[in-house]
Amino acid sequence: MRLKRREFLLFLGASLSTASLSSCEDKNLSLDPKSSVKPPKTPLSFQPVKGPIPLATDVVETQVGQFIPIRTASASKQQIQAYKTYEVVDDLVLPEGFTYDLIAAWGDPVGDSRFGYNNDYLSFIETNQNEGYLTINFEYISSATWVQTYEKVIGKSLPIKTIETALKAEKKPRINAFALPANDAVRQAIREVSQEGLIDVGMGVISIRRNSEGKWERTYSAADRRITGISGWIDSRYLKSTGPGVAVFRKKGKGYSDGLGDRIIGTFGNCAGGTTPWGTVFSAEENFQAHVPEDVYPDGTAVNPSETPFSGRLGGLGNVFGLAG
């Protein structure tokens, strides 16, 4: 079996693994655990997990207590030996002495919603010793994987076939669902999929504690809650913008108005974040143009939602709701 580096990196994107690449001379893959080479010792206080490719920071021990960078020519033999084989493990592999606890997973209940998809920035606000609130960014959904696993995780099916059939009839795999009649079957299918996709992005807050065995676990407090990508649309729990800048949302201009004024529908694309010394959490959006139009007119008003139609790769999720950027 021959494995290209690009193929291997794509594989890593779908699973957790501990691995090493075979040498440039021999790319035959060995999955025999007996053939695995132990990672070289380092002057660190812990033994790092060996990754799939050599890093500039990797070192090998050439003599007792003598370490040299693995990237140097003098370390080429050690590099080939250290990265000749790899072992795939379906687990989160940590250095010896480190542990992890599974606290929550996609689909778990959070308030009146569920735990979202693709965790990014995390913030822990301690309220007492060994307990507090964990804030999580759910940045985006991975379209193919999300569709394939949705029914198993959430427990209901999605009208994907209806949408796929409609997309095949288009010259480009995009549909301006906002322009379709309200009772149109394709629009209704896109609305259902878009709503479920937007539920799985945004932010979440869950209460956790460390139990008597030293493991972290959820406490399911009344404060557990979600801010999804569609919050406010159905439940009227809008976010609200304040300050002088909100004037642009209230003015009448050349562009499209969604009628929300200074009210905001949800949040998505939540990547980075920050925690203040006084215990509040910031969450930063990015790439919001994937689901709503980014462009605005010179007067600050938004372009029409038709500029970002629903796509087969689950982009344009705000289109069917008529959401502006």
Side-chain angles (χ1 to χ4, degrees), residues 33 71 73 98 154 173 178 204 213 231 239 305 310 315 320:
R71 68 182 185 277
F98 291 80
I154 306 302
F178 183 56
E213 297 178 351
S231 287
L239 300 179
F310 176 87
V320 70

Side-chain angles (χ1 to χ4, degrees), residues 88 134 174 236 240 250 310:
V88 176
L134 186 67
R174 297 182 296 179
S236 297
K240 186 176 177 63
R250 298 169 180 160
F310 176 87

Side-chain angles (χ1 to χ4, degrees), residues 185-207:
V186 174
R187 174 170 179 156
Q188 291 176 349
I190 290 176
R191 178 186 171 113
E192 182 177 349
V193 170
S194 296
Q195 180 171 314
E196 292 301 305
L198 288 171
I199 286 174
D200 282 331
V201 296
M203 299 176 63
V205 180
I206 59 175
S207 53

Side-chain angles (χ1 to χ4, degrees), residues 1-5 8 19-30 50-54 79-87:
M1 176 180 178
R2 293 185 178 275
L3 195 66
K4 294 181 180 179
R5 179 171 296 187
F8 179 63
S20 66
L21 286 179
S22 56
S23 72
C24 296
E25 299 172 357
D26 181 9
K27 292 187 174 62
N28 290 320
L29 174 65
S30 172
K50 185 174 67 174
I53 55 177
Q79 180 178 351
I80 291 173
Q81 181 69 6
Y83 290 90
K84 187 176 182 180
T85 61
Y86 66 84
E87 182 180 2

Side-chain angles (χ1 to χ4, degrees), residues 171-184:
K171 292 182 179 180
K172 295 182 179 180
R174 297 182 296 179
I175 298 174
N176 180 20
F178 183 56
L180 297 175
N183 61 351
D184 183 89

